[in-house]
Amino acid sequence: MAKALGMIEFKTVSAGIWAADQMCKAADVELIEAEVVCPGKYIALISGELSAVRAAVDVASNAKGDAFIDNFVLGNPDPSIFPAIYGSSEIEGVDALGVLETYDASAIIVAAD
């Protein structure tokens, strides 16, 4: 399993695709997911060694300044975060409910970790 998880988020699809391409070319990382998350917003999620993920995210974050929304790099993410990202978590015995709301997808993944 990879030691780090990183993500970029952009306001436009074209900027996001271009930045994701730059991210994958900048370091030895694996592209886990890249998609439009709502009209006009684009995310790309990568994994790999911490230094490679950090370098790739830095390159992509500086690629299209005006379209950039947010990013994150998580070293040693909790394993339960992966099923949550893909919506396949099984929740049992719910005794309480908390709701987190963010403008960007990056912030909610960091909060989940």
Side-chain angles (χ1 to χ4, degrees):
M1 180 179 190
K3 292 184 172 71
L5 188 65
M7 189 169 120
I8 57 168
E9 186 170 2
F10 283 84
K11 292 179 198 174
T12 67
V13 175
S14 60
I17 291 171
W18 191 85
D21 179 58
Q22 295 302 305
M23 188 167 51
C24 291
K25 290 176 179 175
D28 183 21
V29 295
E30 178 184 353
L31 184 63
I32 296 175
E33 185 171 351
E35 67 180 322
V36 175
V37 290
C38 68
K41 288 176 74 175
Y42 191 86
I43 63 164
L45 187 65
I46 60 169
S47 66
E49 295 296 321
L50 181 58
S51 59
V53 169
R54 190 176 312 261
V57 168
D58 286 347
V59 164
S61 299
N62 295 318
K64 298 281 186 180
D66 58 330
F68 175 74
I69 296 175
D70 200 3
N71 70 25
F72 72 79
V73 174
L74 293 176
N76 297 316
D78 188 284
S80 66
I81 203 167
F82 294 97
I85 288 171
Y86 294 111
S88 60
S89 296
E90 291 190 25
I91 310 297
E92 297 176 11
V94 176
D95 295 325
L97 175 66
V99 177
L100 298 174
E101 185 175 4
T102 64
Y103 169 72
D104 53 276
S106 302
I108 203 68
I109 294 174
V110 172
D113 182 54

PDB file of all heavy atoms in Angstrom, residues 37-59:
ATOM      1  N   VAL A  37     -16.368  16.495 -10.414  1.00  0.00           N
ATOM      2  CA  VAL A  37     -17.156  16.228  -9.210  1.00  0.00           C
ATOM      3  C   VAL A  37     -18.454  17.013  -9.167  1.00  0.00           C
ATOM      4  O   VAL A  37     -19.360  16.672  -8.444  1.00  0.00           O
ATOM      5  CB  VAL A  37     -16.343  16.467  -7.914  1.00  0.00           C
ATOM      6  CG1 VAL A  37     -15.293  15.400  -7.760  1.00  0.00           C
ATOM      7  CG2 VAL A  37     -15.728  17.845  -7.889  1.00  0.00           C
ATOM      8  N   CYS A  38     -18.542  18.067  -9.889  1.00  0.00           N
ATOM      9  CA  CYS A  38     -19.785  18.811 -10.093  1.00  0.00           C
ATOM     10  C   CYS A  38     -19.527  19.693 -11.301  1.00  0.00           C
ATOM     11  O   CYS A  38     -18.395  19.778 -11.758  1.00  0.00           O
ATOM     12  CB  CYS A  38     -20.190  19.602  -8.853  1.00  0.00           C
ATOM     13  SG  CYS A  38     -19.104  20.959  -8.441  1.00  0.00           S
ATOM     14  N   PRO A  39     -20.528  20.328 -11.846  1.00  0.00           N
ATOM     15  CA  PRO A  39     -20.300  21.105 -13.071  1.00  0.00           C
ATOM     16  C   PRO A  39     -19.114  22.069 -12.936  1.00  0.00           C
ATOM     17  O   PRO A  39     -19.130  22.985 -12.129  1.00  0.00           O
ATOM     18  CB  PRO A  39     -21.601  21.864 -13.266  1.00  0.00           C
ATOM     19  CG  PRO A  39     -22.625  20.989 -12.626  1.00  0.00           C
ATOM     20  CD  PRO A  39     -21.922  20.385 -11.424  1.00  0.00           C
ATOM     21  N   GLY A  40     -18.065  21.756 -13.672  1.00  0.00           N
ATOM     22  CA  GLY A  40     -16.919  22.639 -13.728  1.00  0.00           C
ATOM     23  C   GLY A  40     -15.800  22.351 -12.762  1.00  0.00           C
ATOM     24  O   GLY A  40     -14.696  22.832 -12.953  1.00  0.00           O
ATOM     25  N   LYS A  41     -16.014  21.569 -11.713  1.00  0.00           N
ATOM     26  CA  LYS A  41     -14.939  21.268 -10.759  1.00  0.00           C
ATOM     27  C   LYS A  41     -14.315  19.914 -11.091  1.00  0.00           C
ATOM     28  O   LYS A  41     -15.009  18.980 -11.463  1.00  0.00           O
ATOM     29  CB  LYS A  41     -15.464  21.266  -9.325  1.00  0.00           C
ATOM     30  CG  LYS A  41     -15.776  22.659  -8.815  1.00  0.00           C
ATOM     31  CD  LYS A  41     -16.385  22.650  -7.433  1.00  0.00           C
ATOM     32  CE  LYS A  41     -15.401  22.342  -6.363  1.00  0.00           C
ATOM     33  NZ  LYS A  41     -15.984  22.441  -5.010  1.00  0.00           N
ATOM     34  N   TYR A  42     -12.999  19.823 -10.928  1.00  0.00           N
ATOM     35  CA  TYR A  42     -12.266  18.617 -11.298  1.00  0.00           C
ATOM     36  C   TYR A  42     -11.282  18.258 -10.189  1.00  0.00           C
ATOM     37  O   TYR A  42     -10.599  19.133  -9.654  1.00  0.00           O
ATOM     38  CB  TYR A  42     -11.495  18.871 -12.593  1.00  0.00           C
ATOM     39  CG  TYR A  42     -10.914  17.630 -13.219  1.00  0.00           C
ATOM     40  CD1 TYR A  42     -11.667  16.850 -14.080  1.00  0.00           C
ATOM     41  CD2 TYR A  42      -9.608  17.241 -12.960  1.00  0.00           C
ATOM     42  CE1 TYR A  42     -11.141  15.707 -14.666  1.00  0.00           C
ATOM     43  CE2 TYR A  42      -9.068  16.102 -13.542  1.00  0.00           C
ATOM     44  CZ  TYR A  42      -9.839  15.350 -14.391  1.00  0.00           C
ATOM     45  OH  TYR A  42      -9.318  14.228 -14.968  1.00  0.00           O
ATOM     46  N   ILE A  43     -11.229  16.965  -9.853  1.00  0.00           N
ATOM     47  CA  ILE A  43     -10.282  16.487  -8.856  1.00  0.00           C
ATOM     48  C   ILE A  43      -9.404  15.390  -9.451  1.00  0.00           C
ATOM     49  O   ILE A  43      -9.820  14.697 -10.389  1.00  0.00           O
ATOM     50  CB  ILE A  43     -10.971  15.934  -7.589  1.00  0.00           C
ATOM     51  CG1 ILE A  43     -11.835  14.706  -7.918  1.00  0.00           C
ATOM     52  CG2 ILE A  43     -11.769  17.016  -6.881  1.00  0.00           C
ATOM     53  CD1 ILE A  43     -12.237  13.892  -6.709  1.00  0.00           C
ATOM     54  N   ALA A  44      -8.221  15.256  -8.904  1.00  0.00           N
ATOM     55  CA  ALA A  44      -7.335  14.144  -9.236  1.00  0.00           C
ATOM     56  C   ALA A  44      -6.701  13.673  -7.939  1.00  0.00           C
ATOM     57  O   ALA A  44      -6.173  14.465  -7.167  1.00  0.00           O
ATOM     58  CB  ALA A  44      -6.262  14.581 -10.223  1.00  0.00           C
ATOM     59  N   LEU A  45      -6.771  12.367  -7.695  1.00  0.00           N
ATOM     60  CA  LEU A  45      -6.288  11.739  -6.468  1.00  0.00           C
ATOM     61  C   LEU A  45      -5.147  10.797  -6.826  1.00  0.00           C
ATOM     62  O   LEU A  45      -5.289   9.977  -7.735  1.00  0.00           O
ATOM     63  CB  LEU A  45      -7.442  10.968  -5.823  1.00  0.00           C
ATOM     64  CG  LEU A  45      -7.259  10.359  -4.462  1.00  0.00           C
ATOM     65  CD1 LEU A  45      -7.052  11.441  -3.409  1.00  0.00           C
ATOM     66  CD2 LEU A  45      -8.490   9.535  -4.100  1.00  0.00           C
ATOM     67  N   ILE A  46      -4.006  10.923  -6.117  1.00  0.00           N
ATOM     68  CA  ILE A  46      -2.840  10.097  -6.400  1.00  0.00           C
ATOM     69  C   ILE A  46      -2.340   9.419  -5.132  1.00  0.00           C
ATOM     70  O   ILE A  46      -2.671   9.837  -4.023  1.00  0.00           O
ATOM     71  CB  ILE A  46      -1.683  10.924  -7.009  1.00  0.00           C
ATOM     72  CG1 ILE A  46      -1.248  12.036  -6.049  1.00  0.00           C
ATOM     73  CG2 ILE A  46      -2.060  11.455  -8.369  1.00  0.00           C
ATOM     74  CD1 ILE A  46       0.033  12.733  -6.441  1.00  0.00           C
ATOM     75  N   SER A  47      -1.520   8.385  -5.314  1.00  0.00           N
ATOM     76  CA  SER A  47      -0.871   7.737  -4.180  1.00  0.00           C
ATOM     77  C   SER A  47       0.567   7.420  -4.566  1.00  0.00           C
ATOM     78  O   SER A  47       0.925   7.406  -5.741  1.00  0.00           O
ATOM     79  CB  SER A  47      -1.615   6.459  -3.785  1.00  0.00           C
ATOM     80  OG  SER A  47      -1.520   5.501  -4.809  1.00  0.00           O
ATOM     81  N   GLY A  48       1.381   7.161  -3.553  1.00  0.00           N
ATOM     82  CA  GLY A  48       2.782   6.836  -3.769  1.00  0.00           C
ATOM     83  C   GLY A  48       3.583   7.134  -2.527  1.00  0.00           C
ATOM     84  O   GLY A  48       3.033   7.338  -1.442  1.00  0.00           O
ATOM     85  N   GLU A  49       4.881   7.173  -2.687  1.00  0.00           N
ATOM     86  CA  GLU A  49       5.759   7.543  -1.577  1.00  0.00           C
ATOM     87  C   GLU A  49       5.531   9.013  -1.230  1.00  0.00           C
ATOM     88  O   GLU A  49       5.238   9.828  -2.107  1.00  0.00           O
ATOM     89  CB  GLU A  49       7.222   7.307  -1.948  1.00  0.00           C
ATOM     90  CG  GLU A  49       7.559   5.849  -2.174  1.00  0.00           C
ATOM     91  CD  GLU A  49       7.391   4.997  -0.926  1.00  0.00           C
ATOM     92  OE1 GLU A  49       7.731   5.457   0.178  1.00  0.00           O
ATOM     93  OE2 GLU A  49       6.900   3.861  -1.067  1.00  0.00           O
ATOM     94  N   LEU A  50       5.678   9.351   0.042  1.00  0.00           N
ATOM     95  CA  LEU A  50       5.362  10.699   0.513  1.00  0.00           C
ATOM     96  C   LEU A  50       6.082  11.792  -0.269  1.00  0.00           C
ATOM     97  O   LEU A  50       5.455  12.770  -0.692  1.00  0.00           O
ATOM     98  CB  LEU A  50       5.673  10.823   2.011  1.00  0.00           C
ATOM     99  CG  LEU A  50       5.365  12.167   2.658  1.00  0.00           C
ATOM    100  CD1 LEU A  50       3.893  12.527   2.501  1.00  0.00           C
ATOM    101  CD2 LEU A  50       5.761  12.146   4.125  1.00  0.00           C
ATOM    102  N   SER A  51       7.373  11.647  -0.502  1.00  0.00           N
ATOM    103  CA  SER A  51       8.117  12.693  -1.213  1.00  0.00           C
ATOM    104  C   SER A  51       7.637  12.852  -2.650  1.00  0.00           C
ATOM    105  O   SER A  51       7.539  13.970  -3.162  1.00  0.00           O
ATOM    106  CB  SER A  51       9.616  12.407  -1.179  1.00  0.00           C
ATOM    107  OG  SER A  51       9.896  11.157  -1.777  1.00  0.00           O
ATOM    108  N   ALA A  52       7.303  11.756  -3.309  1.00  0.00           N
ATOM    109  CA  ALA A  52       6.812  11.819  -4.684  1.00  0.00           C
ATOM    110  C   ALA A  52       5.439  12.466  -4.751  1.00  0.00           C
ATOM    111  O   ALA A  52       5.171  13.300  -5.621  1.00  0.00           O
ATOM    112  CB  ALA A  52       6.766  10.413  -5.295  1.00  0.00           C
ATOM    113  N   VAL A  53       4.554  12.097  -3.826  1.00  0.00           N
ATOM    114  CA  VAL A  53       3.210  12.679  -3.799  1.00  0.00           C
ATOM    115  C   VAL A  53       3.295  14.173  -3.520  1.00  0.00           C
ATOM    116  O   VAL A  53       2.641  14.979  -4.178  1.00  0.00           O
ATOM    117  CB  VAL A  53       2.320  11.957  -2.760  1.00  0.00           C
ATOM    118  CG1 VAL A  53       1.021  12.711  -2.535  1.00  0.00           C
ATOM    119  CG2 VAL A  53       2.045  10.537  -3.215  1.00  0.00           C
ATOM    120  N   ARG A  54       4.132  14.561  -2.568  1.00  0.00           N
ATOM    121  CA  ARG A  54       4.282  15.980  -2.236  1.00  0.00           C
ATOM    122  C   ARG A  54       4.805  16.773  -3.441  1.00  0.00           C
ATOM    123  O   ARG A  54       4.294  17.843  -3.766  1.00  0.00           O
ATOM    124  CB  ARG A  54       5.212  16.148  -1.041  1.00  0.00           C
ATOM    125  CG  ARG A  54       5.236  17.552  -0.476  1.00  0.00           C
ATOM    126  CD  ARG A  54       6.100  17.629   0.768  1.00  0.00           C
ATOM    127  NE  ARG A  54       5.782  16.567   1.700  1.00  0.00           N
ATOM    128  CZ  ARG A  54       5.011  16.700   2.763  1.00  0.00           C
ATOM    129  NH1 ARG A  54       4.450  17.850   3.022  1.00  0.00           N
ATOM    130  NH2 ARG A  54       4.797  15.688   3.568  1.00  0.00           N
ATOM    131  N   ALA A  55       5.799  16.236  -4.136  1.00  0.00           N
ATOM    132  CA  ALA A  55       6.359  16.915  -5.309  1.00  0.00           C
ATOM    133  C   ALA A  55       5.319  17.047  -6.418  1.00  0.00           C
ATOM    134  O   ALA A  55       5.179  18.109  -7.034  1.00  0.00           O
ATOM    135  CB  ALA A  55       7.584  16.156  -5.815  1.00  0.00           C
ATOM    136  N   ALA A  56       4.579  15.979  -6.666  1.00  0.00           N
ATOM    137  CA  ALA A  56       3.565  15.999  -7.725  1.00  0.00           C
ATOM    138  C   ALA A  56       2.451  16.992  -7.418  1.00  0.00           C
ATOM    139  O   ALA A  56       2.020  17.752  -8.290  1.00  0.00           O
ATOM    140  CB  ALA A  56       2.991  14.602  -7.918  1.00  0.00           C
ATOM    141  N   VAL A  57       1.984  16.999  -6.185  1.00  0.00           N
ATOM    142  CA  VAL A  57       0.913  17.921  -5.785  1.00  0.00           C
ATOM    143  C   VAL A  57       1.405  19.365  -5.862  1.00  0.00           C
ATOM    144  O   VAL A  57       0.672  20.251  -6.318  1.00  0.00           O
ATOM    145  CB  VAL A  57       0.369  17.571  -4.378  1.00  0.00           C
ATOM    146  CG1 VAL A  57      -0.514  18.677  -3.834  1.00  0.00           C
ATOM    147  CG2 VAL A  57      -0.394  16.257  -4.431  1.00  0.00           C
ATOM    148  N   ASP A  58       2.636  19.629  -5.457  1.00  0.00           N
ATOM    149  CA  ASP A  58       3.188  20.987  -5.543  1.00  0.00           C
ATOM    150  C   ASP A  58       3.245  21.482  -6.979  1.00  0.00           C
ATOM    151  O   ASP A  58       2.868  22.613  -7.274  1.00  0.00           O
ATOM    152  CB  ASP A  58       4.578  21.046  -4.915  1.00  0.00           C
ATOM    153  CG  ASP A  58       4.562  20.990  -3.401  1.00  0.00           C
ATOM    154  OD1 ASP A  58       3.469  21.159  -2.795  1.00  0.00           O
ATOM    155  OD2 ASP A  58       5.634  20.777  -2.812  1.00  0.00           O
ATOM    156  N   VAL A  59       3.700  20.623  -7.886  1.00  0.00           N
ATOM    157  CA  VAL A  59       3.778  20.998  -9.304  1.00  0.00           C
ATOM    158  C   VAL A  59       2.392  21.319  -9.847  1.00  0.00           C
ATOM    159  O   VAL A  59       2.178  22.346 -10.497  1.00  0.00           O
ATOM    160  CB  VAL A  59       4.445  19.878 -10.137  1.00  0.00           C
ATOM    161  CG1 VAL A  59       4.198  20.068 -11.626  1.00  0.00           C
ATOM    162  CG2 VAL A  59       5.927  19.828  -9.847  1.00  0.00           C
TER     163      VAL A  59
END
